[in-house]
Amino acid sequence: MSRPKKWCRILIPALLILAWFTGAGLGGPLFGKVDEVSSNDSTAYLPDSADATAVQKVLGDFSGENAIPAIAIFTSDSALTDAQLDSITTALEAAPEIAGVNDKLSPAIPSEDGMAAQAFIPIDADSDVGDVVMELSTQLKTDVADGITVAITGPAGFTADLIAGFSGIDGLLLGVALLAVLVILILVYRSLLLPVAVLSTSLFALCIALLTVWWLAKWGVLLLSGQTQGILFILVIGAATDYSLLFVSRFREELRVTEDKWQATMRAWKGSVEPILASGGTVIAGLLCLLLSDLKSNSTLGPVAALGIVFAMLAALTLLPALLFAFGRAAFWPRRPHFEPDVVKAEQGMPQKGIWAWLARQVRKRPRAIWIVTTLVLLVGAVGVTQLKADGVAQSELVLGTSEARDGQAALGEHFPGGSGSPTYILTPETEQQAIVDILLGHDGISSVSISAKDSVTGSASVTADGIVAQGPPGTEPPTPTVVDGNVLLQATLTDAADSEAAATTVRDLRTQLDGTGALVGGVTATAIDTNDASIHDRNLIIPLILVVILVILMLLLRSVLAPVLLILTTVLSFGTAMGVSALMFNGVFNFPGADAAVPLFGFVFLVALGIDYNIFLMTRVREESVKHGTRHGVLRGLAITGGVITSAGLVLAATFAALSVIPILFLVQLAFIVAFGVLLDTFIVRSLLVPALTYDIGPAIWWPSKLARADQPEDPAVDGEPVAASAK
């Protein structure tokens, strides 16, 4: 071997490792800084055509401030005394001393029963809303008199809840996910060095993915939210580990037949590159289908997550091979694979040892019974999908656990009209103001109507039934309504809580009644309605599209039509079962209030795109073995050889997605359960039993219409002297 080639073998891995270390060094410090380039404002993710979006864009023009309203609710077990009301007034006067609190807050407004008071406090939208709300709550609780309970609710209060809920992503979520992966890898390989190499590959892939996404968000190319960030972290760690496990398995195989570790590395790379690229390409294609989504929280997740998968593949195909080449057989210490080509040659028949060889023999003996029974079991589980309540949840239910904003909203509803603090905005042509006020005040779901006025203390003034602006505070002139581009802004207080189904019905009724007047309806309730409608549209469009895209990729990969169609059907069946079981768990065990309309779409994207990975890992190996040994024997060998690595990969991916449940956000907890359960279902039932048994039963025809379906197929040799199943002859 020439000297330049030896230097090349050392230089290439060294440069790859150095490049990844450098990238990780640049991306690592960005953990904890994603909030600088992300937003959790739900309106920012609505389509531009949505009414709520159009209204949100002009709110600042009417108020003259870029603020998010907070509602401070003060309650007592008995009627508030004058001394207590005075303490509330004093506390509110001191509130603007807090950085981020606007000084144009309203005075305390007592309730009719005298047991509560509320005040509107604008929070600067450019400030750290979570910190400002927390400091405001603490100060008000300190300043008011004894016997008064204080809670901050309204849009700013719920925004603070979401920020607090997502705060554990950089630390808790990442730590739990990495620890879960490390434990599984140590148990699987019973080695210390190899898990560190695999985990480093995943972590470095995440660092560079974060570096790329962070700067794209900084430049305004991508939108980021806490939800997208959490999914990116989990997806990159899980996918990079899965791809790494596939390469490790191939590397171990090659070390048994090749003494030279460079040759073993290159052969392992050649054997891994096709399934890894096919698997990653399938996931990327599925994710990019989200670009067609109306809802920007979906469409922006597509490219962000796709970039994560790209770096996961690159790390598994460059960094990990370089690390394993550097370590050689020592990577597997203390269970180093020995150079034993004679033993491997003797195993060219059917492997006889291990649980996967045993399972292959069971598939061989009873293929038809196995695939029919597993199909029936999966169908029974899928029936539960009819119980899934994925039609949206109230804003107050988005965060699990304790919530001051939720408690405050409940208190607000007890003493004031349910929609207090979260008004419905109606952007109205000035010429239509009188007619629209009549419509609003005539609706049973509307408690009161006000009109935006810059020179009013509260930023608005009440409107009487005849459309006349009511007097301002005693001794002041009536506030002048604000007109922007010929429009005025009406604020309707709903009789029901803004995030309730009754409020949604009211807003839908108003939109119907106001159709043709040029008025647009926005606000918290309208935003929830538009988000829900867009989510339903997205899932009806994107789910079928993803199926078609993945089907085409599988046809190209397996050079077959029948096999991809069957794989898609089994994956869809698995998804249906996962959603059905999840629905029963959500309703009967966890007692969740429902699910976001986007939950089925996200569950489908990750389960189908990631679940098909295991079928790709299995069937690419089955096809490789079928060329050498015949289809039926190739099925058994493929199952026996890949069983361990695919199961390990499934456990890792399930564990990483399960880690999402440590973030107390309802959507992420539900997604964590759906994907974790679905991946385990794919790993242990669909890939281990249904697909191998169905493929074995069909035989060479599974590759139709390729030449492999018509090629001469050797007989499936007896295993331990057992005859071939009658259904397979």
Side-chain angles (χ1 to χ4, degrees):
M1 189 176 298
S2 63
R3 186 176 181 84
K5 194 169 185 179
K6 287 183 179 180
W7 276 109
C8 184
R9 291 182 177 187
I10 297 174
L11 185 61
I12 292 176
L15 290 176
L16 287 173
I17 294 172
L18 179 62
W20 280 98
F21 266 79
T22 302
L26 295 174
L30 295 179
F31 286 103
K33 296 184 178 181
V34 179
D35 59 334
E36 297 178 6
V37 294
S38 65
S39 169
N40 292 305
D41 177 12
S42 57
T43 313
Y45 296 94
L46 282 172
D48 292 334
S49 59
D51 286 3
T53 307
V55 173
Q56 182 68 28
K57 288 180 178 179
V58 299
L59 286 183
D61 296 334
F62 286 93
S63 65
E65 302 288 344
N66 182 24
I68 302 175
I71 296 90
I73 174 73
F74 307 88
T75 59
S76 176
D77 293 335
S78 58
L80 293 168
T81 65
D82 291 340
Q84 287 177 320
L85 289 172
D86 288 342
S87 72
I88 292 173
T89 300
T90 302
L92 290 173
E93 289 174 349
E97 296 175 4
I98 300 173
V101 174
N102 194 296
D103 59 1
K104 294 183 179 179
L105 69 171
S106 74
I109 304 171
S111 61
E112 290 186 4
D113 60 14
M115 298 174 64
Q118 65 168 324
F120 297 85
I121 305 175
I123 305 296
D124 187 354
D126 296 326
S127 66
D128 190 329
V129 177
D131 290 344
V132 173
V133 168
M134 183 181 299
E135 186 176 352
L136 175 64
S137 175
T138 301
Q139 180 168 312
L140 290 178
K141 290 173 183 177
T142 302
D143 292 348
V144 297
D146 293 339
I148 299 176
T149 301
V150 181
I152 304 297
T153 186
F158 287 112
T159 298
D161 270 359
L162 285 174
I163 292 172
F166 285 120
S167 64
I169 285 182
D170 290 322
L172 182 61
L173 174 62
L174 194 58
V176 169
L178 293 175
L179 180 61
V181 172
L182 180 61
V183 170
I184 293 173
L185 293 177
I186 290 175
L187 292 176
V188 169
Y189 290 109
R190 283 167 277 180
S191 165
L192 293 177
L193 191 56
L194 187 62
V196 171
V198 172
L199 208 56
S200 298
T201 301
S202 302
L203 189 55
F204 284 15
L206 178 57
C207 286
I208 297 184
L210 179 60
L211 175 66
T212 305
V213 168
W214 194 93
W215 279 105
L216 289 175
K218 180 77 171 178
W219 296 330
V221 178
L222 297 174
L223 273 175
L224 268 183
S225 66
Q227 177 177 294
T228 302
Q229 178 189 353
I231 292 174
L232 173 68
F233 284 11
I234 291 303
L235 192 61
V236 173
I237 293 173
T241 304
D242 276 7
Y243 302 150
S244 296
L245 291 178
L246 185 64
F247 183 87
V248 167
S249 176
R250 282 283 191 168
F251 185 60
R252 182 196 287 271
E253 286 182 42
E254 295 300 335
L255 287 176
R256 297 180 65 196
V257 297
T258 307
E259 259 190 307
D260 184 73
K261 64 179 183 179
W262 174 266
Q263 292 294 332
T265 302
M266 295 309 299
R267 290 180 182 179
W269 192 89
K270 290 177 181 178
S272 303
V273 65
E274 184 181 42
I276 289 177
L277 290 179
S279 172
T282 302
V283 178
I284 290 171
L287 289 169
L288 290 182
C289 289
L290 291 173
L291 286 170
L292 299 177
S293 170
D294 277 349
L295 204 59
K296 292 180 184 178
S297 57
N298 295 343
S299 62
T300 56
L301 173 66
V304 169
L307 282 171
I309 295 296
V310 167
F311 288 110
M313 289 191 299
L314 288 175
L317 290 173
T318 58
L319 176 59
L320 183 65
L323 291 173
L324 291 185
F325 169 74
F327 295 146
R329 285 179 169 81
F332 297 89
W333 182 88
R335 304 178 66 200
R336 302 188 186 196
H338 300 291
F339 176 60
E340 46 187 6
D342 294 337
V343 175
V344 175
K345 186 176 181 180
E347 291 177 352
Q348 289 303 309
M350 179 64 204
Q352 301 296 317
K353 298 179 181 179
I355 187 173
W356 297 105
W358 175 85
L359 187 60
R361 290 194 291 271
Q362 305 314 305
V363 168
R364 184 181 183 279
K365 287 191 292 184
R366 304 177 186 86
R368 188 163 298 169
I370 289 175
W371 74 257
I372 289 176
V373 170
T374 53
T375 299
L376 291 175
V377 170
L378 292 172
L379 285 171
V380 170
V383 172
V385 78
T386 58
Q387 304 301 310
L388 182 65
K389 297 181 291 185
D391 51 2
V393 294
Q395 181 186 31
S396 58
E397 301 291 350
L398 294 179
V399 178
L400 301 175
T402 59
S403 165
E404 181 175 317
R406 185 190 304 130
D407 295 340
Q409 179 172 284
L412 204 62
E414 291 178 11
H415 304 283
F416 295 91
S420 296
S422 299
T424 292
Y425 297 105
I426 301 92
L427 184 64
T428 306
E430 187 179 13
T431 56
E432 299 290 334
Q433 175 184 323
Q434 178 63 61
I436 291 175
V437 167
D438 291 342
I439 292 174
L440 295 176
L441 293 175
H443 197 290
D444 292 339
I446 302 296
S447 171
S448 62
V449 178
S450 61
I451 186 168
S452 180
K454 286 184 180 180
D455 53 351
S456 170
V457 175
T458 63
S460 63
S462 61
V463 179
T464 62
D466 57 5
I468 300 173
V469 179
Q471 291 289 331
T476 64
E477 292 295 324
T480 304
T482 303
V483 181
V484 177
D485 295 331
N487 294 316
V488 295
L489 186 70
L490 301 177
Q491 301 178 35
T493 300
L494 305 178
T495 57
D496 302 289
D499 59 358
S500 66
E501 186 60 36
T505 300
T506 297
V507 170
R508 289 188 186 277
D509 287 346
L510 290 178
R511 283 180 166 176
T512 300
Q513 294 180 34
L514 298 177
D515 187 34
T517 65
L520 300 177
V521 181
V524 172
T525 308
T527 297
I529 290 172
D530 291 343
T531 299
N532 196 60
D533 290 348
S535 293
I536 293 172
H537 165 270
D538 290 347
R539 77 189 188 200
N540 292 340
L541 169 68
I542 293 172
I543 286 178
L545 180 62
I546 290 176
L547 287 176
V548 172
V549 170
I550 293 178
L551 180 63
V552 171
I553 292 175
L554 288 176
M555 287 180 177
L556 296 174
L557 176 66
L558 297 176
R559 282 83 101 185
S560 166
V561 171
L562 182 58
V565 169
L566 292 178
L567 290 179
I568 287 289
L569 291 176
T570 60
T571 303
V572 170
L573 177 58
S574 175
F575 168 72
T577 304
M579 293 303 297
V581 173
S582 297
L584 297 177
M585 294 294 291
F586 294 166
N587 298 337
V589 177
F590 302 128
N591 295 317
F592 288 148
D596 190 275
V599 165
L601 174 61
F602 278 61
F604 183 86
V605 169
F606 293 119
L607 272 185
V608 173
L610 295 173
I612 207 72
D613 279 4
Y614 304 122
N615 284 329
I616 288 175
F617 291 167
L618 171 66
M619 292 304 289
T620 52
R621 188 58 181 256
V622 166
R623 196 180 195 285
E624 180 183 327
E625 298 294 335
S626 296
V627 173
K628 301 175 184 177
H629 306 286
T631 297
R632 289 197 167 94
H633 194 52
V635 170
L636 303 183
R637 281 186 56 78
L639 176 58
I641 293 171
T642 65
V645 62
I646 295 179
T647 301
S648 301
L651 288 172
V652 166
L653 192 62
T656 52
F657 264 93
L660 276 175
S661 61
V662 303
I663 304 300
I665 303 297
L666 179 64
F667 177 87
L668 294 182
V669 171
Q670 291 178 325
L671 187 65
F673 183 89
I674 291 170
V675 177
F677 177 78
V679 166
L680 294 177
L681 194 67
D682 270 328
T683 303
F684 289 100
I685 304 298
V686 177
R687 186 270 315 176
S688 300
L689 296 171
L690 178 55
V691 171
L694 185 59
T695 304
Y696 189 96
D697 196 14
I698 294 174
I702 194 74
W703 308 116
W704 181 86
S706 70
K707 293 181 180 179
L708 188 57
R710 303 185 300 274
D712 292 335
Q713 298 278 331
E715 287 290 330
D716 181 19
V719 180
D720 291 346
E722 297 168 353
V724 179
S727 63
K729 290 183 179 179

